[in-house]
Amino acid sequence: MEKKTAKLLQGVKTLSINCRQWGDTGKGKFVDLFADWADIIVRGNGGDNAGHTISYEGQELITHLIPSGILYDSHGKINIIGSGTVVYPRTLNQELKGLRERGLSYDNLWVAFNAHLITPAEIVLDRIKENVAGQNKIGSTGKGIGPAYSDFIARQGLIVNDLLNPIFLWPKLKRHLNYYRNILKNYDSDLIKEIMNHEHLESGLYYDDQRILDDEKIYFRYLEYGKEFKKFVFDTDSFIKSQLGIKNILVEGAQGDLLSVKFGTYPFVTSSDPSVWGLAEGIGLREANFDLSLGIIKGFYMTRVGGGPFPTELGGLNSERLCNKEGMNREQELKSYGEISVNCDDDLLPGHHDDEFLQGIALRQAGQEYGATTGRPRRVGWLDLPLLRYVLTFNRPDIILTKLDVLDELEIIPICHSYQYQGPDIFWRGREIHHLDQLQVAIPAAEILQYCQPIYTEFPGWKKSLKTCKSFADFPSEFKEILKFVVSETGIQPRIISVGPDRKETIFL
Ligand code: GDP
Ligand code: IMO
Ligand code: MG
């Protein structure tokens, strides 16, 4: 271990890594990086809505459910899918197959017996709801995450352990599917059929013309999955508790604080709590058990996938519409707009492209901001300090900044330091908020955030490659100026800077 890594991890036995924005900030890279230090790596929340990218030996591995420490399985490290996750058996089966095809082992993979199961019925409902939601679409990944977590709270969900007991599985599944049959009756039958013929739902295997859901087919398929997973299934919460303070435990979050059902930009959020609080609960611990919690942000920009307010989005509504257009992906976008330079047109003032919409596409191209799970273009905007100040109200200040190399060529880098509220007068959390008030700390509720206009401070860009920087001293003065501003405005404590996807492109401060 390098000297600086050793210093950061001095006295640390339990380390959490999660995101302080709307996801996709590089959790995969950093969980893989710290897996070298860890003995146990555990995912605490979410399901296969996540896509975590690991760059290794010139290759890319994207994990969805399997923890991003899996490359260290061959070193004897234990990777755990924790009790706070939701597991779709087909995805787990496919991910295991993918690992085998790459010659990667998963001998020490464990799955919590009490992690919740995602059923085909939940996936159908997730997709139907999005289909009929119109303007209120959340932009869900369509993996059944929302219904699966709701069913858990509504006491009608199934757990991974049910796959191992036919006598429990059958009555629970029948009750669950009966309930769903009644709900699905209210929706367009052709649409249901189309959804159920999707590959993700095993291309129609679970569909029955008369009864919508074929109970027997689901039951027998799920039993097969149970046989495959049996050797992995344990009481992981008790195990983790027993290893606390003894082994090095690395906790991996999915999504991000702003997508938290508890703290995020509700209702445009996921259905789990990806904050350190939710993560701790999702592995059977308490937040206070984390000796160090590293939160990741992109420096100095942000992205968001799906719907919901995004005050600093480049190109505003036009960008949101483009990114959320049916079937839109990297190839489609390239066909329509070609390759664009981040400073855009030569005729315009440096960095002041008057069509921010195009600059957003250019930044998306520079940062390769296309979803690791769905391939959707990620909406791009400038770093938003009111949102960062907000997440710091329930987090410790230690931060990893990633993707700084993406801004290498920019002439001007705007940072949003506050908002002007341009909505109707309202009452919020015991205080009044008036039209034209200035806000330093964001209010995460979507209906308020939509009226917040960002106010920017502009900084000159560094205009050179950061890839050659080996220590903080090597960073250009323009970069240091921006970082100093962000630190003094928010109180973050930057611990690590990332200038590329590779493990080596990492600078410890
Ligand atoms: P996660 O969901 O937080 O794990 O992030 P994703 O894997 O969805 O998206 C992050 C993307 O950025 C991946 O393609 C990473 O390989 C890549 N990445 C991570 N850190 C850096 C960095 O510092 N610079 C660049 N250019 N790419 C990075
Ligand atoms: P990682 O772990 C970015 C978003 C979806 C949608 C909302 C709800 O790779 O950072 P869901 O399928 O959870 O019901 O969708 O949350 N979303 C993510 N956005 N990164 C993710 O995961 C996400 N997981 C869900 O786009 O807006
Ligand atoms: Mg991701």
Side-chain angles (χ1 to χ4, degrees):
M1 205 193 302
E2 254 191 64
K3 236 162 93 186
K4 281 190 175 157
T5 326
K7 197 171 153 219
L8 180 67
L9 295 176
Q10 202 172 22
V12 174
K13 295 302 285 178
T14 304
L15 163 67
S16 70
I17 294 184
N18 66 339
C19 163
R20 300 275 169 273
Q21 296 175 331
W22 282 297
D24 304 325
T25 41
K27 296 176 291 292
K29 166 174 171 165
F30 280 94
V31 171
D32 169 68
L33 194 88
F34 283 105
D36 188 23
W37 159 86
D39 302 303
I40 300 163
I41 303 101
V42 53
R43 245 294 283 279
N45 78 293
D48 54 348
N49 48 352
H52 297 177
T53 314
I54 306 166
S55 290
Y56 72 105
E57 296 163 6
Q59 299 183 57
E60 228 180 42
L61 174 71
I62 299 177
T63 62
H64 299 285
L65 254 178
I66 289 183
S68 298
I70 198 66
L71 295 181
Y72 287 84
D73 178 85
S74 56
H75 301 220
K77 313 221 167 183
I78 298 173
N79 277 273
I80 299 177
I81 299 173
S83 60
T85 63
V86 281
V87 175
Y88 184 43
R90 179 174 188 266
T91 299
L92 184 53
N93 163 281
Q94 300 270 307
E95 274 199 86
L96 296 176
K97 188 164 155 239
L99 291 177
R100 285 196 300 276
E101 283 166 3
R102 284 170 183 253
L104 296 170
S105 69
Y106 50 85
D107 298 330
N108 303 297
L109 177 70
W110 295 13
V111 182
F113 81 100
N114 48 347
H116 281 254
L117 266 190
I118 297 180
T119 68
E122 289 162 341
I123 295 172
V124 177
L125 185 65
D126 193 15
R127 292 180 181 214
I128 287 218
K129 278 173 82 176
E130 285 287 273
N131 220 292
V132 300
Q135 288 239 317
N136 300 321
K137 213 175 166 144
I138 306 268
S140 134
T141 57
K143 307 285 179 172
I145 307 296
Y149 278 111
S150 312
D151 282 343
F152 167 47
I153 300 293
R155 300 161 295 186
Q156 58 198 22
L158 278 74
I159 59 172
V160 166
N161 201 75
D162 291 330
L163 295 176
L164 312 179
N165 293 300
I167 51 159
F168 294 160
L169 181 63
W170 180 243
K172 278 176 99 167
L173 194 62
K174 255 183 101 73
R175 207 165 40 235
H176 178 91
L177 296 176
N178 267 335
Y179 167 79
Y180 267 95
R181 243 188 298 276
N182 277 326
I183 292 185
L184 293 176
K185 267 190 214 142
N186 301 315
Y187 293 96
D188 176 6
S189 56
D190 289 339
L191 181 60
I192 295 178
K193 187 173 176 181
E194 189 189 320
I195 290 172
M196 292 200 72
N197 275 314
H198 195 280
E199 201 194 342
H200 191 61
L201 282 155
E202 316 231 20
S203 310
L205 175 72
Y206 302 132
Y207 181 68
D208 181 295
D209 249 337
Q210 306 300 315
R211 307 175 60 232
I212 309 176
L213 295 153
D214 187 325
D215 300 12
E216 287 81 13
K217 290 262 175 59
I218 298 173
Y219 171 70
F220 286 114
R221 190 79 181 112
Y222 270 47
L223 279 184
E224 273 175 47
Y225 286 129
K227 280 189 197 131
E228 182 186 354
F229 305 154
K230 191 169 180 187
K231 56 181 176 293
F232 309 137
V233 179
F234 299 105
D235 177 0
T236 62
D237 284 0
S238 298
F239 173 70
I240 292 165
K241 232 173 247 149
S242 74
Q243 300 303 305
L244 197 63
I246 301 168
K247 296 282 189 197
N248 291 344
I249 302 173
L250 173 58
V251 188
E252 173 178 9
Q255 290 81 49
D257 286 335
L258 296 177
L259 284 172
S260 163
V261 70
K262 206 161 168 187
F263 300 106
T265 50
Y266 194 92
F268 295 94
V269 293
T270 189
S271 295
S272 70
D273 176 14
S275 76
V276 281
W277 307 87
L279 269 187
E281 197 181 311
I283 62 169
L285 295 181
R286 287 176 296 124
E287 188 272 344
N289 294 134
F290 298 166
D291 303 311
L292 177 66
S293 292
L294 294 172
I296 315 185
I297 61 172
K298 283 177 192 177
F300 299 105
Y301 71 105
M302 304 173 75
T303 59
R304 151 159 235 173
V305 188
F310 186 173
T312 61
E313 181 169 17
L314 278 154
L317 262 182
N318 289 338
S319 158
E320 182 177 353
R321 257 185 236 123
L322 171 78
C323 293
N324 289 335
K325 202 163 147 187
E326 190 74 31
M328 187 49 73
N329 56 29
R330 185 200 309 254
E331 290 69 38
Q332 288 299 322
E333 191 175 72
L334 200 61
K335 229 190 258 168
S336 306
Y337 296 96
E339 275 181 40
I340 311 174
S341 134
V342 285
N343 294 308
C344 298
D345 219 319
D346 290 340
D347 299 334
L348 297 157
L349 281 176
H352 278 269
H353 196 284
D354 62 359
D355 193 348
E356 285 187 350
F357 170 73
L358 289 180
Q359 196 178 24
I361 298 177
L363 267 181
R364 179 153 58 245
Q365 291 175 348
Q368 311 242 349
E369 298 292 0
Y370 300 87
T373 294
T374 57
R376 288 183 286 178
R378 295 173 181 154
R379 300 158 61 193
V380 174
W382 300 117
L383 180 62
D384 180 322
L385 299 188
L387 278 171
L388 186 53
R389 287 189 196 101
Y390 164 68
V391 294
L392 287 166
T393 61
F394 56 94
N395 274 298
R396 302 184 223 176
D398 305 274
I399 291 287
I400 300 175
L401 287 125
T402 58
K403 305 207 77 156
L404 282 152
D405 53 300
V406 174
L407 306 189
D408 277 352
E409 314 240 308
L410 272 177
E411 301 270 2
I412 302 260
I413 300 177
I415 306 271
C416 162
H417 58 79
S418 52
Y419 298 147
Q420 186 181 60
Y421 174 73
Q422 295 185 358
D425 292 351
I426 48 150
F427 193 72
W428 183 257
R429 265 177 78 179
R431 74 170 164 126
E432 286 181 3
I433 296 168
H434 300 288
H435 184 65
L436 301 186
D437 273 359
Q438 195 147 337
L439 301 178
Q440 301 295 321
V441 181
I443 296 168
E447 58 270 40
I448 298 176
L449 208 51
Q450 66 176 336
Y451 292 119
C452 291
Q453 291 302 319
I455 308 172
Y456 293 104
T457 301
E458 293 187 343
F459 293 86
W462 46 88
K463 302 230 43 195
K464 48 177 87 82
S465 171
L466 295 184
K467 295 247 184 212
T468 51
C469 298
K470 297 284 169 251
S471 74
F472 189 65
D474 300 336
F475 279 89
S477 57
E478 293 87 349
F479 169 86
K480 289 179 182 163
E481 270 306 304
I482 306 178
L483 188 60
K484 200 167 110 192
F485 176 75
V486 174
V487 168
S488 74
E489 287 284 318
T490 61
I492 59 162
Q493 287 188 22
R495 299 291 186 195
I496 302 172
I497 293 174
S498 172
V499 294
D502 198 83
R503 290 169 182 166
K504 289 195 212 87
E505 295 168 312
T506 307
I507 296 105
F508 285 79
L509 303 181

